[in-house]
């Protein structure tokens, strides 16, 4: 699986959009970009995933660059409950491909 | 609501005890996983199973074993608990290939070995 690089931490004001970047320059053609988050003392929670098109669901939007070497997770109106560690993971869709969690980005949403 | 349920939220065990951590999923997922999470080390894969009675070692299997007798249940066993196994243990499940949402995680079991 391709390695990802994320900033260690970020702050965001409550009500504003939180934009979390992720670099995955060695991504291969069949690998998807997944985003998970982990709120303190809970298990990781799936947010969104995509291959090459931008994706949106009720939680967030995922913007993937045309060359697929980076992506941005957007939380459009961050709330205090969005404070968490956000993990960007690149993974193939084949059986046996494990999720490998890196350090993630610690997002602090402030009042 | 689909879910992965871990039997205990908090456990305290003594050194040398045999410890069972249970995980049940109700999504008919083929794959099940056990991770441990420690500060500064992130999530590390202990064991996984892609079918009943099948198991594969992850990155840190030493000191652990697993059992999967039924599709919905995956147990992690600490044969003789040691203090360095004090950690947060997370169970997850997925379809083969991880279609869709990928993994679904349980809430975790925080194990303290004294």
């Amino acid at each position: 699986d391709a390695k990802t690089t994320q900033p260690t931490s970020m702050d965001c004001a409550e009500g504003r959009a939180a934009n979390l970047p992720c670099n995955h320059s060695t991504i291969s053609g069949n690998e998807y970009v997944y985003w998970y988050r982990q709120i303190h003392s809970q298990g990781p929670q799936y947010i969104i995933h995509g291959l090459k098109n931008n994706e949106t669901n009720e939680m967030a939007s995922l913007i993937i660059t045309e060359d697929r070497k980076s992506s941005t997770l957007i939380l459009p109106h961050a709330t205090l409950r969005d404070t968490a560690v956000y993990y960007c993971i690149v993974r193939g869709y084949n059986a046996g491909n494990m999720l490998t969690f890196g350090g993630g980005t610690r997002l602090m949403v402030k009042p | 609501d689909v879910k992965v349920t871990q039997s205990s939220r908090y456990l305290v065990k003594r050194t040398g005890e045999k410890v069972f951590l249970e995980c049940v999923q109700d999504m008919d997922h083929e794959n099940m996983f056990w991770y441990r999470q420690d500060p500064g080390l992130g999530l590390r894969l202990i064991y996984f199973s892609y079918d009943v009675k099948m198991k594969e070692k992850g990155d840190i299997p030493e000191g652990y074993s697993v059992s999967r007798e039924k599709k919905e249940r995956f147990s992690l066993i600490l044969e003789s608990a040691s203090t360095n196994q004090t950690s947060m243990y997370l169970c997850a499940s997925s379809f083969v290939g991880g279609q869709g949402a990928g993994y679904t995680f349980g809430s975790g079991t925080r194990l303290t070995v004294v």
Side-chain angles (χ1 to χ4, degrees):
Chain A
D1 289 346
K3 181 181 169 62
T4 62
T5 304
Q6 299 177 253
T8 303
S9 63
M10 293 181 63
D11 290 345
C12 177
E14 188 178 19
R16 304 297 293 269
N19 297 287
L20 292 95
C22 180
N23 285 316
H24 31 79
S25 58
T26 59
I27 192 170
S28 62
N30 66 346
E31 289 183 316
Y32 285 70
V33 180
Y34 280 84
W35 283 85
Y36 284 76
R37 74 179 182 184
Q38 188 173 23
I39 296 169
H40 183 62
S41 294
Q42 297 183 21
Q45 175 192 24
Y46 165 82
I47 301 173
I48 198 167
H49 75 287
L51 182 63
K52 54 183 178 181
N53 297 320
N54 297 339
E55 302 287 344
T56 296
N57 63 20
E58 65 278 5
M59 290 182 68
S61 295
L62 174 60
I63 309 298
I64 303 174
T65 58
E66 193 167 343
D67 64 6
R68 303 211 321 123
K69 292 184 177 182
S70 66
S71 60
T72 301
L73 179 75
I74 301 171
L75 308 178
H77 305 287
T79 71
L80 299 179
R81 288 181 294 181
D82 292 322
T83 292
V85 178
Y86 287 77
Y87 298 98
C88 169
I89 300 164
V90 173
R91 173 177 174 265
Y93 236 30
N94 299 318
N97 287 115
M98 301 298 114
L99 276 182
T100 301
F101 288 80
T105 296
R106 185 171 297 276
L107 176 69
M108 178 74 71
V109 180
K110 298 184 175 181
Chain B
D1 224 14
V2 295
K3 64 174 60 169
V4 174
T5 303
Q6 295 185 229
S7 54
S8 303
R9 191 80 173 95
Y10 298 95
L11 273 181
V12 180
K13 297 291 182 180
R14 294 192 181 278
T15 301
E17 275 194 78
K18 190 169 186 176
V19 180
F20 292 85
L21 302 183
E22 306 287 346
C23 175
V24 177
Q25 51 96 3
D26 64 0
M27 295 164 283
D28 202 34
H29 284 168
E30 294 88 359
N31 294 343
M32 296 188 75
F33 309 85
W34 276 105
Y35 288 84
R36 66 177 281 178
Q37 185 171 30
D38 302 288
L41 296 176
L43 280 87
R44 294 179 290 167
L45 182 64
I46 305 172
Y47 267 97
F48 66 97
S49 168
Y50 52 88
D51 202 353
V52 174
K53 297 191 184 296
M54 306 301 288
K55 62 183 179 184
E56 296 285 343
K57 294 180 179 179
D59 300 320
I60 51 163
E62 296 78 18
Y64 304 93
S65 62
V66 289
S67 173
R68 191 158 180 211
E69 297 296 317
K70 294 183 178 181
K71 189 176 185 180
E72 67 271 18
R73 187 180 296 271
F74 192 36
S75 303
L76 180 69
I77 304 157
L78 287 65
E79 295 290 343
S80 178
S82 64
T83 54
N84 63 12
Q85 292 177 310
T86 291
S87 186
M88 168 73 94
Y89 290 88
L90 290 157
C91 177
S93 69
S94 77
F95 287 115
V96 169
Q99 291 92 331
Y103 291 19
T104 301
F105 281 84
S107 297
T109 296
R110 188 166 292 281
L111 173 68
T112 301
V113 182
V114 298

